[in-house]
Amino acid sequence: MMLDAALDQLARAYPGPGGACAVLREGEVLVRHSWGWANAERRIPFTPRSLFRLCSITKQFTCAALLTEFPDPSVLDPDVRACLPTLAQPAPSTLQLCHNQSGLRDYWAVAMLHGSAVEAPFGDTEARRVIRGTQTLQFVPGTRYSYANQNFRLLSEILQERTGRSFGELLRRSIFERVGMADAILAADTRALPDGAEGYEGSPQAGFRAAQNRILWTGDAGIGASLEDLIAWERFIDATRDDADTLYRRLSVPVSFADGTPAAYGFGLSRQTEWDRALTGHGGALRGWRSHRLYVPSERISVVVMFNHLSDAYAAALDLLAAALGVARAPRPAVIAAPEWTGAYVEPETGLVARIDTVDGRLRLRYGHSAELLDLGADGTATSAGTRLRPSAGGVWMERRVDNQCSLLRRCEAMTAAVHADTGPSVSGHTDLVGRYHCAELDSEASVIDAGGILYGAFSGFLGQGRMETLECVGKDVWLLPCPRALDHTPPGDWTLAFRRDSLGRVDGVTIGCWLARGIRYERVA
C-alpha cells in the first residue's frame, strides 16, 4: 500500500528528534503515528498527546473565534483603526486583516530594522510599540497580498477588548471544547511548553540542539496542541462539510481582492490545487518547529504533519497526500542550461531586487518570502504553482497570482566595482555610500561601514543594535543586506538597499525593503 510505504519513509526522509502525523479519510483515521522524542535530553517520547506549537496554523482558529463572536466582522473596523493611531492613510478593514491584504508591513521583519537580536525577547510591549508606530502602508488595502503576522495579533487583541474575555478563554469556549480538542491551549510564551516538549535546530550531520525562542505570540501563532487535537479538528471539518454555516465552511469560502480577482488566501487558510484537486490548509513554523495540515474536500482526505525540528513539513504532507490519493509525485524535471535572461532585476512597484538563476537544474526566483523553483517550458516561459516568468525585450514579465501582481522586471543597471574573488565587491568606487541613515517613521537607523575595504551594513533602534552583515552589490546603487536568521523562523531574507542621489549625484538617502516590509525611506544624517 502506497500509504504504508510513505509512512515508513517519512522519518528517514525528514530526519530529526521526533514527530507525528495523521491521515484521515471520510473522518476515519487511516494513520495515527508518532516517533522519536518530544524532549531528547529528558527522554520524553513524542506521542499523539504530546503538545506541539502550531505556530501559524493558529491563524485559522483566530478567524474561527472571530466569526463565532462577530458573524459580521466589519463591525470591528473602527477597532482596527483605533489600533493604528499614527497611520496617515485609510486603515485596512477587519476582513483585510483576515485575508493578509492589509498593506501592513510584517512586524517581525520591522523588528529587525529596529535592531532586534535574533533570540531577543519580544512581547506585548514591543509588539504594541511597533504596531502603533505604523504611519504608512506598503500598498492600498485590498489590492495585494502580503503575509503580515500582526494582522492576526490585532484580531485577537480586538476580540479580547470587545468581549472582555482572554483570547485563551475565547479559543477554549468557541472552538476547543466544541470540537473536542482536549489538550489544546493558548501557549503564548514560546520559551517552554507545559509538558516539556522542545523544538530543535540543527541537522543529523551537525547535531541537534534545543532552539531558543523568547517571543510572546497570541492570535498569530500562539496555540499549543497535540496530534489528537488536530485529528479532532479534521474530523469536525469533515463531519460539518455539508453545512454552509459551520465554521470551516465559512473559513474556506472563496475570497477576492478589491478588483474582484480571486485570492489564494483568506481567513487564515491557503487555497491551492494539487493533482487537479482543490485543497485548503496552512503551515506553521518557529525555530525548532514545523507543521502543516491539508484538507481535500472532494476526496474527504485530511493530512497532518508535525515536526519538532526544521524539516519541510509541507513536502512531507504532500508525500502522504499523494500516497493517500494513490498518485505519484511528479518526477524531477530535466536539468536545464541557464537561459540568457538570468540575472538581477528590480521590480518597479516594490523596488525590491528579483534574482533569477539556476539551482539543481531548475530556475530559481529570489524575490518573495522564500525562494521559488520554476520549470522552464518549451515556449521559453518559466512557471511554478503561483508564479510565471516571461522574458521580453524590456526585461522579464513576472506574474504572481497569489500577490495579485503582474509587473515588468527591469535588469539592474551594471555596477562598476572592484571585485575580490574571495570576499566580493570592495569599497572601491562606493565610498560615498558609507554613512548613517535615519528613518523618521521607525525612528531607527541603518549604518553602512567600510571595514578593511569591504562594505557592511546593520540596523539599530529601540530593540537594540543589529549584527553587521556583508553587503552585496547587485547593480548601480542597488545592494543587498542578508538577514539569514530573525525573530521568526522564516527570516525576511535579503533586504534591498536602493540608494538615492540628489541632483548633484550625491547620496542623500536609501530606500530599504523586503517582501514582508517594503518601501521604507531613510535619509542620510552622516
Side-chain angles (χ1 to χ4, degrees):
M1 182 179 178
M2 290 181 68
L3 191 54
D4 289 336
L7 185 62
D8 287 342
Q9 290 297 316
L10 197 70
R12 297 178 181 87
Y14 304 94
C21 66
V23 179
L24 296 84
R25 187 193 296 271
E26 299 181 358
E28 297 300 319
V29 177
L30 303 181
V31 169
R32 177 193 281 108
H33 181 58
S34 61
W35 64 93
W37 304 98
N39 188 311
E41 291 75 21
R42 294 168 57 187
R43 301 185 184 182
I44 301 174
F46 212 128
T47 76
R49 296 292 299 274
S50 297
L51 284 177
F52 187 93
R53 294 202 176 278
L54 295 192
C55 304
S56 287
I57 292 177
T58 298
K59 292 176 170 64
Q60 61 200 266
F61 294 99
T62 300
C63 291
L66 169 73
L67 292 177
T68 299
E69 298 295 329
F70 296 94
D72 177 9
S74 66
V75 301
L76 301 179
D77 289 352
D79 300 74
V80 177
R81 170 78 261 183
C83 291
L84 302 168
T86 62
L87 181 63
Q89 301 166 241
S93 69
T94 308
L95 285 176
Q96 286 162 348
L97 297 183
C98 294
H99 305 338
N100 270 332
Q101 296 179 22
S102 68
L104 292 168
R105 300 177 179 92
D106 181 72
Y107 71 155
W108 301 122
V110 173
M112 306 314 291
L113 298 178
H114 283 294
S116 177
V118 169
E119 293 167 348
F122 192 96
D124 290 336
T125 300
E126 292 82 4
R128 191 171 295 111
R129 178 164 173 178
V130 172
I131 293 170
R132 292 178 68 86
T134 302
Q135 297 177 22
T136 62
L137 302 174
Q138 57 185 353
F139 54 77
V140 175
T143 62
R144 296 285 185 266
Y145 164 86
S146 185
Y147 205 85
N149 283 284
Q150 75 266 36
N151 290 338
F152 301 88
R153 187 183 195 110
L154 286 170
L155 292 175
S156 63
E157 291 181 350
I158 290 169
L159 281 172
Q160 290 185 135
E161 183 68 25
R162 286 292 295 263
T163 65
R165 289 181 282 165
S166 72
F167 186 54
E169 182 184 1
L170 286 168
L171 290 171
R172 180 172 56 82
R173 291 189 177 183
S174 62
I175 302 170
F176 299 160
E177 292 179 351
R178 178 179 176 184
V179 172
M181 298 173 67
D183 300 316
I185 58 173
L186 180 64
D189 189 337
T190 60
R191 289 177 296 179
L193 284 168
D195 67 348
E198 285 277 10
Y200 292 86
E201 291 186 281
S203 67
Q205 295 75 27
F208 291 92
R209 64 187 183 280
Q212 300 297 313
N213 296 292
R214 301 172 70 190
I215 295 172
L216 189 71
W217 263 339
T218 55
D220 43 357
I223 293 177
S226 67
L227 180 67
E228 292 291 358
D229 291 324
L230 285 191
I231 288 173
W233 178 237
E234 301 302 331
R235 281 177 161 160
F236 173 81
I237 291 168
D238 188 74
T240 60
R241 67 193 180 280
D242 294 329
D243 186 347
D245 292 328
T246 55
L247 271 180
Y248 201 79
R249 283 289 302 273
R250 294 172 68 198
L251 292 174
S252 55
V253 296
V255 297
S256 61
F257 292 98
D259 63 4
T261 302
Y265 190 97
F267 291 114
L269 287 173
S270 174
R271 293 133 168 85
Q272 63 192 90
T273 300
E274 294 289 349
W275 300 289
D276 299 320
R277 295 165 174 89
L279 57 87
T280 54
H282 210 289
L286 176 67
R287 279 196 303 278
W289 305 90
R290 294 287 297 273
S291 58
H292 213 97
R293 61 153 300 269
L294 302 169
Y295 179 63
V296 186
S298 64
E299 307 287 341
R300 296 176 61 189
I301 290 176
S302 292
V303 176
V304 177
V305 172
M306 310 166 86
F307 294 147
N308 66 340
H309 51 91
L310 296 180
S311 290
D312 190 341
Y314 175 57
L318 289 181
D319 287 346
L320 291 178
L321 177 59
L325 292 171
V327 300
R329 295 291 301 269
R332 288 178 59 107
V335 174
I336 63 167
E340 62 181 14
W341 46 273
T342 57
Y345 295 79
V346 171
E347 196 285 313
E349 178 183 314
T350 63
L352 300 179
V353 168
R355 288 168 291 171
I356 305 169
D357 58 10
T358 58
V359 60
D360 296 332
R362 302 176 71 186
L363 277 183
R364 177 176 62 172
L365 171 66
R366 286 177 288 173
Y367 166 77
H369 196 190
S370 56
E372 293 179 76
L373 294 178
L374 300 92
D375 297 321
L376 189 64
D379 62 354
T381 65
T383 57
S384 67
T387 301
R388 181 172 181 259
L389 299 177
R390 177 173 57 85
S392 72
V396 174
W397 283 99
M398 179 178 71
E399 179 183 353
R400 288 174 57 87
R401 291 184 292 277
V402 171
D403 295 355
N404 195 33
Q405 180 185 21
C406 183
S407 56
L408 181 62
L409 305 179
R410 300 286 187 182
R411 191 178 288 274
C412 287
E413 191 174 342
M415 61 183 178
T416 55
V419 176
H420 299 298
D422 55 344
T423 59
S426 77
V427 76
S428 176
H430 301 295
T431 54
D432 57 350
L433 304 182
V434 173
R436 289 172 35 240
Y437 301 82
H438 181 258
C439 175
E441 176 171 354
L442 302 182
D443 192 21
S444 65
E445 281 197 357
S447 300
V448 177
I449 295 173
D450 168 12
I454 302 296
L455 288 187
Y456 292 80
F459 305 115
S460 58
F462 84 94
L463 292 175
Q465 194 172 71
R467 60 174 291 162
M468 282 286 167
E469 301 285 357
T470 307
L471 298 183
E472 176 188 354
C473 184
V474 295
K476 183 179 179 182
D477 288 336
V478 180
W479 294 67
L480 296 174
L481 189 156
C483 184
R485 297 183 81 236
L487 283 167
D488 198 3
H489 159 260
T490 306
D494 294 335
W495 294 95
T496 295
L497 276 62
F499 290 92
R500 306 188 305 272
R501 296 180 181 270
D502 63 17
S503 59
L504 299 178
R506 298 171 300 196
V507 175
D508 63 359
V510 60
T511 300
I512 296 175
C514 65
W515 184 77
L516 290 170
R518 315 162 196 171
I520 304 168
R521 289 180 63 89
Y522 287 71
E523 307 299 329
R524 187 169 198 153
V525 293

